[in-house]
Amino acid sequence: MRIDGTKLGSASVAALTLAMMMPATAWGQAARIPATDTPGTPAQVDPAPVQSAIVPNTDTTAPDPAATVAQDAAVDAAEGADIIVTGFRKSLDAALSVKRESVSAVDAIVAEDIAKFPDQNLAESLQRIPGISIQRDAGEGRAITVRGLGAQFTRVRVNGLETVATSTDGASANRDRAFDFNVFASELFNSIVVHKTAEASLDEGSLGAVVDLNTGNPLGGKRGFTLVGSAVATYNDLSDKVRPRLAGLLSWKSPDGTFGAAVSAAYQKTANLELGNNTVRWAQARFDSVNGTPCFTTTATGTVRASNAGGFYRPNAACDQAALAFHPRIPRYGYILHDRERLGLTGSVQWQPSESSKFSVDALYSRFKETREEKYGEVLLRSNERSIDVVNPVYDSNNNLIAATLNDAWVRTEHYLRRSKTEFYQVGGSWDQDVTDKLRFTLLGGISQSDATIPVETTFVFDDRDAQGYSYDYRDSRSPLLTFGTSVTDPANFQLAEIRDRPSSTVNKFRTVQLRTEYDLAEGYKLKLGGLYRKFSFASEAFTRDAVVCPAAGRDVVLGAITCSAPSLFGPTAIYGFPATGLGETFNIGGAGQPAGNTNEFYVPNIAASAAYTGLYGRPLVVDAGQVRSVSEEVSGGYGEIDVKGTVFGLDYAANGGMRYVHTHQVSTGLNNGVAVTIARNYADWLPALNVALFPTDKIILRGAIAKVLTRPTLGNLTPGGSVDGFNYRVTFGNPQLDPFRATAFDLAAEWYFAPQSIFSVAVFKKNVESFPVSQATTGTFDSTGLPRSVIPPSSPAALPQNADVLYTITSPVNGQGASLKGVEIALQTTFRFLPGFLKNFGAIANATLIDSSATYTVQGPTVNPCVPAANPAAACGFGPNVTTTRTGTLFGLSKRQYNGTLYYEDRKFSARGSISYRGPYVDQNSATGNIFEGYNSTINVDASIRYRVTENLEVSLEGTNLTDEYRDRYTDLDTNRNYEYNHFGRTFFAGARVKL
């Protein structure tokens, strides 16, 4: 096998396939200096030059079957008759070859056979790589974090072309640079390569990593036709539903080996259930009374109680303590159904008319659809505390009101339905040409587009606004006891009070052209020069059909069919919505982790009946001004790089060093006061990079790297204008003048290839982030922002007239002082061939990543005064505001500890794997309502699979994911770890068969 460091920046999927065919003895040869190019070989042999750090082998002839049998026999003789290199073991070897044969730091995952990726989800495969952790949605991997840097800091390329694919999560569509791996079926890909250090010839835009997703190539297979098909039944034990997963591939290679074509398809449906509880954060607020002590009086100096609304706050110990303590905003249990469908198609055509020319065209299409349905039974403390009487409050040492009985409470049930669809397509092509025996080039170009649409995002709300005897108890914070004193299944107790629908769309487009050239200067020296043009565009728009049925006294604003009471009227005679009888259905929260005695059954709106009654989908759409925005970036530039290899003082070495120049022309558009505002800017960056690999022995590689890297600003932060959160009383302005995240990255690594299929490695890394945008916050009324009141969501509390003077948190991103990150990765991969008998068929993979970082943020801390200014006979007093302060913490999305382990067994017929992944707690983002940050507590995921080869062409399998039914534990406030949500998704099992002809 040739190893060519001069082509490390442009490797191929075909080479990965060929590498998998090599015997174990060849794979075990570790620390070899990259060899010299053979004159006349094409620059690439795969359909798209993906820079994946393994050298192409120009011999694309299919292996002779007899030779393959002889090769297997030789391997068995060398290693013992029971030890073979096929299946999962072969995929590990191929991935190890990618890592070993690179000058820069890379890791890889490779399919053991065509159309046979080793995991059900691309993100879940990536979490097995040292330094990578994932974030899950609906029980499956969605986004990745590399070495502590979140998804927005990772660039993803599909067949060599940078792209973005977006879906939706529990809150909204992904409207950022992050890549959603759940959009694609894993069967469409045969390798993933993760570049952890930068090269001048590698696409810029990443502080974390560049991830290459590679589909198959027909010239890498056998001559004639190849047909592969698989069928799997998927079962989730929480939803108790079975869904299909189908995949197939057909490829053809001409008899002379110069032309090939391939198509593949994958289809999957899943129905996962999510059950658990949610608080929608914790907050501080003043209540109507506490243990019988009134908190408001009718006059500033009076003693007459002002019940439920209006009046003057009356400072006293009981009311002040309850006001300054944190209580759950919307304590509730819920039922969430995720019904998903994926369809993926790929096509590839390759023509290699001579040894010096090759042409490739690749296409990829993916459609990801989800219906997400949520049902909740809750009490709406948020913004309604003024009417609520608190009885028997219980406080903990962290200033939380963890248990109480509430009278005059707003009981609410709601039903949410979202239908979303992401369509992704990409078409790319490459021309690889050897001009002379020393000069070669690759011309690469293509387009991609991701359309994420949400045509339906509907919520209907039933309210009972004077409920008595409701109790919550969070002494067991993750399994609270929620009991309702009045019936929550009787339609007569409810009124249809709110309707919402929020359609939206997000479109990402890429247009890319690149020219890469290579020139052999002399033995061991190569010059790489390249130019690039890339245009990225992002556009998001959103609309609302929201309405509060009775925002004021008089006729309702939806149908004009009822006469609404004044908002100040409280009690059973108040009219604030339509009678709920005939508009609902009953649901049970099921096994949501609730304790005995919890209220589990609720009457909630029926979507179809409520939509038909209110005419929701016939209401006119209103522009959601804060979510209408676009960003366009044109990037042009080039690079120069020198690749060298040789021996100095008896020490073999290989290195690449160079400079990358990129010019960015950015145009940002958003709505401000209803007018489209467009701001343009330009900036340029010089990005030097150096990678060095030393080979002190034939089993050890020492690596070092230093580079300047950048990630362009978060898309949402670039929008001129402001968006309004009318539920948390926040206004967020964008800043089109934000600088990119710029950093200097340092890496050192030692790798010991101590046996075939084995490695022990340690890598240390550090990133000094020189520019780091942070949020700057102030406090003021909404009118002080200059935004029109029409941008306030009409169904939010902020739209109500009585809340016109509430203080808002007003934030805007600014260029900060920077941040730092450092860490270490430790990895071990080995086989147990030293053990006797069948035990030698076992192997293990383990890694640990330890990271720390420091960044300074501006945050809004707790309110410390329940009466501002101090009460006096002449004036009322307000509550708050939250206290603005600075706080040092880790970078968002960074877990300080990550561990992964896999134990596997494989013989000629049977294979089995068990994997465990631990991700430590991490801060996800700034929080609200006085909480300092929010994030997720640690998780442990356990997966397993078994496969049996019935014949050479037929294999059956059984796999399981999340076997311990791990809960997702989300918290708000870093200091007190208050329960935000605590949900589980059940275990998922896959049973199927695969045929290859």
Side-chain angles (χ1 to χ4, degrees):
M1 179 176 182
R2 294 190 309 111
I3 305 176
D4 186 348
T6 62
K7 290 187 179 180
L8 295 174
S10 53
S12 71
V13 175
L16 298 177
T17 305
L18 290 168
M20 290 189 292
M21 299 175 182
M22 296 295 292
T25 52
W27 292 328
Q29 296 171 0
R32 295 178 298 177
I33 185 170
T36 304
D37 272 329
T38 300
T41 57
Q44 307 296 330
V45 296
D46 66 325
V50 296
Q51 296 186 322
S52 56
I54 185 167
V55 180
N57 189 324
T58 59
D59 182 10
T60 56
T61 303
D64 178 68
T68 301
V69 173
Q71 185 185 78
D72 286 346
V75 172
D76 288 348
E79 300 183 340
D82 293 330
I83 299 296
I84 59 172
V85 184
T86 61
F88 182 64
R89 190 190 303 271
K90 185 167 66 173
S91 73
L92 296 178
D93 270 317
L96 202 60
S97 293
V98 177
K99 182 179 184 67
R100 185 185 64 239
E101 295 163 16
S102 172
V103 173
S104 59
V106 303
D107 282 291
I109 301 166
V110 180
E112 63 192 70
D113 197 1
I114 191 168
K116 191 180 178 184
F117 205 74
D119 288 275
Q120 301 288 340
N121 181 285
L122 295 177
E124 291 168 16
S125 292
L126 283 164
Q127 74 177 336
R128 320 236 186 265
I129 289 178
I132 294 183
S133 56
I134 67 173
Q135 189 162 3
R136 296 174 183 266
D137 177 49
E140 64 179 359
R142 180 188 181 194
I144 68 170
T145 295
V146 182
R147 290 182 166 180
L149 291 165
Q152 70 170 10
F153 296 104
T154 297
R155 297 283 70 79
V156 175
R157 305 187 303 186
V158 176
N159 290 334
L161 299 174
E162 182 181 348
T163 191
V164 171
T166 60
S167 63
T168 61
D169 64 7
S172 63
N174 174 4
R175 298 189 176 102
D176 209 340
R177 300 181 191 273
F179 187 94
D180 290 334
F181 288 88
N182 57 357
V183 169
F184 298 114
S186 61
E187 291 92 341
L188 301 178
F189 300 89
N190 70 357
S191 72
I192 301 177
V193 178
V194 180
H195 306 259
K196 294 181 178 177
T197 61
E199 300 179 54
S201 57
L202 185 67
D203 288 345
E204 86 294 336
S206 164
L207 262 64
V210 175
V211 177
D212 276 314
L213 308 180
N214 306 314
T215 59
N217 64 298
L219 288 184
K222 67 179 183 180
R223 287 179 170 85
F225 283 98
T226 298
L227 176 63
V228 179
S230 66
V232 176
T234 302
Y235 171 74
N236 179 266
D237 69 349
L238 202 57
S239 67
D240 196 27
K241 295 181 183 295
V242 178
R243 293 291 186 266
R245 184 181 187 119
L246 306 172
L249 177 140
L250 176 64
S251 68
W252 180 80
K253 182 178 176 180
S254 64
D256 62 2
T258 62
F259 182 82
V263 293
S264 67
Y267 177 79
Q268 179 188 20
K269 294 192 75 174
T270 60
N272 292 343
L273 193 58
E274 176 182 350
L275 301 177
N277 68 81
N278 192 310
T279 64
V280 199
R281 300 190 190 94
W282 294 57
Q284 301 165 288
R286 302 184 299 200
F287 292 90
D288 188 33
S289 70
V290 179
N291 268 346
T293 300
C295 299
F296 290 85
T297 57
T298 55
T299 64
T301 58
T303 58
V304 179
R305 177 181 177 182
S307 182
N308 299 118
F312 294 79
Y313 184 70
R314 174 188 175 190
N316 61 78
C319 293
D320 290 355
Q321 184 179 18
L324 295 178
F326 280 84
H327 60 267
R329 295 171 73 238
I330 312 177
R332 62 188 185 182
Y333 278 92
Y335 163 108
I336 305 171
L337 178 64
H338 305 269
D339 202 337
R340 294 179 163 182
E341 180 185 58
R342 289 184 186 86
L343 172 65
L345 304 170
T346 70
S348 177
V349 176
Q350 295 179 283
W351 180 44
Q352 189 171 353
S354 68
E355 290 187 352
S356 59
S357 299
K358 183 179 176 190
F359 302 90
S360 302
V361 177
D362 299 289
L364 171 65
Y365 171 82
S366 179
R367 186 189 69 200
F368 175 64
K369 299 170 67 175
E370 179 183 25
T371 298
R372 179 186 177 106
E373 186 176 10
E374 304 178 9
K375 301 175 184 179
Y376 291 104
E378 63 200 29
V379 161
L380 193 71
L381 282 84
R382 182 210 69 205
S383 302
N384 298 315
E385 293 91 348
R386 176 63 187 85
S387 69
I388 295 175
D389 298 314
V390 178
V391 180
N392 297 325
V394 178
Y395 303 93
D396 69 7
S397 58
N398 289 317
N399 193 35
N400 296 315
L401 179 51
I402 57 172
T405 296
L406 308 180
N407 294 321
D408 289 352
W410 283 40
V411 169
R412 169 168 289 190
T413 67
E414 57 181 286
H415 193 170
Y416 170 89
L417 176 68
R418 183 180 67 205
R419 303 189 191 278
S420 62
K421 181 173 71 172
T422 296
E423 284 193 289
F424 175 92
Y425 72 84
Q426 177 177 293
V427 179
S430 63
W431 172 20
D432 303 309
Q433 182 68 48
D434 283 7
V435 181
T436 70
D437 61 353
K438 292 187 176 182
L439 176 64
R440 64 198 63 87
F441 71 79
T442 295
L443 180 63
L444 170 69
I447 61 174
S448 69
Q449 181 167 321
S450 173
D451 295 348
T453 59
I454 304 177
V456 174
E457 189 172 4
T458 299
T459 305
F460 286 99
V461 168
F462 286 165
D463 277 354
D464 175 10
R465 297 183 177 177
D466 61 345
Q468 308 297 309
Y470 169 77
S471 294
Y472 72 83
D473 189 339
Y474 277 84
R475 275 173 277 212
D476 182 349
S477 67
R478 266 52 185 180
S479 182
L481 177 64
L482 309 180
T483 59
F484 293 75
T486 53
S487 174
V488 289
T489 58
D490 184 357
N493 287 339
F494 291 102
Q495 300 178 37
L496 176 58
E498 290 184 24
I499 63 174
R500 305 173 195 156
D501 189 43
R502 299 172 180 177
S504 64
S505 67
T506 302
V507 179
N508 292 281
K509 297 179 182 179
F510 273 94
R511 305 291 184 267
T512 302
V513 177
Q514 290 189 20
L515 176 64
R516 303 170 183 165
T517 66
E518 299 177 349
Y519 183 73
D520 299 330
L521 296 171
E523 181 70 24
Y525 292 85
K526 176 176 289 186
L527 173 65
K528 292 182 180 180
L529 298 174
L532 66 110
Y533 173 81
R534 181 172 63 246
K535 183 175 182 179
F536 166 66
S537 62
F538 157 85
S540 175
E541 61 180 8
F543 305 90
T544 71
R545 290 190 176 101
D546 293 9
V548 174
V549 174
C550 290
R555 306 301 287 180
D556 73 89
V557 299
V558 176
L559 299 177
I562 59 175
T563 300
C564 304
S565 306
S568 59
L569 181 63
F570 198 89
T573 61
I575 298 176
Y576 43 82
F578 305 117
T581 301
L583 299 179
E585 62 188 61
T586 300
F587 94 98
N588 192 290
I589 65 174
Q594 70 273 31
N598 197 75
T599 300
N600 298 328
E601 197 166 72
F602 298 87
Y603 183 71
V604 300
N606 177 280
I607 294 288
S610 298
Y613 180 80
T614 59
L616 173 65
Y617 299 125
R619 290 174 59 83
L621 290 170
V622 177
V623 173
D624 185 355
Q627 300 299 331
V628 177
R629 57 181 185 262
S630 65
V631 176
S632 174
E633 290 174 347
E634 289 187 76
V635 177
S636 57
Y639 65 86
E641 181 178 295
I642 295 288
D643 290 7
V644 299
K645 57 185 178 293
T647 303
V648 59
F649 301 118
L651 180 65
D652 292 338
Y653 72 92
N656 63 59
M659 179 73 72
R660 187 177 187 88
Y661 169 79
V662 286
H663 175 272
T664 304
H665 174 64
Q666 171 194 297
V667 179
S668 303
T669 300
L671 295 182
N672 197 330
N673 287 320
V675 177
V677 177
T678 299
I679 297 177
R681 67 174 300 205
N682 295 275
Y683 56 88
D685 288 273
W686 294 90
L687 304 172
L690 174 67
N691 290 271
V692 178
L694 304 176
F695 305 82
T697 76
D698 62 353
K699 296 183 182 295
I700 294 176
I701 302 177
L702 304 178
R703 304 186 191 276
I706 182 172
K708 290 281 189 179
V709 292
L710 70 83
T711 290
R712 294 177 177 89
T714 302
L715 294 171
N717 287 345
L718 291 175
T719 305
S723 61
V724 180
D725 178 352
F727 296 91
N728 295 305
Y729 298 101
R730 290 193 296 184
V731 174
T732 302
F733 286 95
N735 181 358
Q737 301 301 327
L738 282 180
D739 290 334
F741 298 85
R742 294 186 173 102
T744 303
F746 305 88
D747 293 82
L748 290 173
E751 300 164 7
W752 177 30
Y753 298 84
F754 56 89
Q757 307 164 44
S758 302
I759 182 177
F760 176 72
S761 65
V762 177
V764 294
F765 53 89
K766 180 177 174 61
K767 298 182 189 294
N768 293 329
V769 185
E770 290 93 21
S771 60
F772 183 77
V774 296
S775 179
Q776 189 175 68
T778 59
T779 300
T781 64
F782 182 83
D783 291 340
S784 71
T785 67
L787 295 173
R789 298 195 67 83
S790 59
V791 302
I792 299 175
S795 63
S796 68
L800 299 176
Q802 61 265 35
N803 293 326
D805 296 326
V806 171
L807 293 176
Y808 282 70
T809 298
I810 305 166
T811 64
S812 178
V814 298
N815 294 314
Q817 299 178 349
S820 64
L821 178 151
K822 58 186 177 182
V824 58
E825 296 171 354
I826 305 170
L828 173 66
Q829 177 179 315
T830 188
T831 61
F832 296 160
R833 55 173 43 89
F834 54 87
L835 295 176
F838 75 94
L839 295 176
K840 67 177 63 175
N841 294 326
F842 281 95
I845 308 166
N847 62 69
T849 306
L850 312 176
I851 312 174
D852 198 7
S853 70
S854 178
T856 301
Y857 302 91
T858 301
V859 298
Q860 297 288 296
T863 293
V864 297
N865 196 328
C867 194
V868 180
N872 60 69
C877 63
F879 183 73
N882 290 333
V883 177
T884 300
T885 185
T886 58
R887 183 69 177 264
T888 299
T890 62
L891 293 168
F892 292 160
L894 183 146
S895 293
K896 291 186 175 183
R897 301 290 184 269
Q898 300 164 211
Y899 307 105
N900 292 285
T902 297
L903 179 67
Y904 67 89
Y905 174 92
E906 191 163 51
D907 59 30
R908 289 190 178 276
K909 290 286 190 179
F910 179 78
S911 66
R913 280 187 291 148
S915 299
I916 183 168
S917 297
Y918 168 85
R919 181 177 185 181
Y922 63 95
V923 172
D924 188 46
Q925 61 185 355
N926 272 324
S927 192
T929 59
N931 296 279
I932 306 297
F933 303 132
E934 60 190 49
Y936 295 84
N937 287 309
S938 62
T939 58
I940 298 177
N941 285 90
V942 179
D943 308 324
S945 70
I946 56 175
R947 297 176 181 270
Y948 182 74
R949 182 181 296 181
V950 181
T951 69
E952 287 299 316
N953 299 322
L954 174 63
E955 181 183 74
V956 294
S957 62
L958 177 64
E959 302 179 64
T961 61
N962 192 29
L963 294 178
T964 59
D965 193 14
E966 181 79 351
Y967 274 67
R968 180 179 63 190
D969 186 355
R970 187 179 181 185
Y971 69 84
T972 186
D973 196 78
L974 180 63
D975 300 323
T976 62
N977 205 268
R978 301 180 179 111
N979 176 4
Y980 193 132
E981 65 177 358
Y982 193 69
N983 298 340
H984 70 133
F985 305 88
R987 304 165 183 84
T988 302
F989 299 94
F990 309 85
R994 181 178 185 272
V995 177
K996 180 182 179 183
L997 301 175

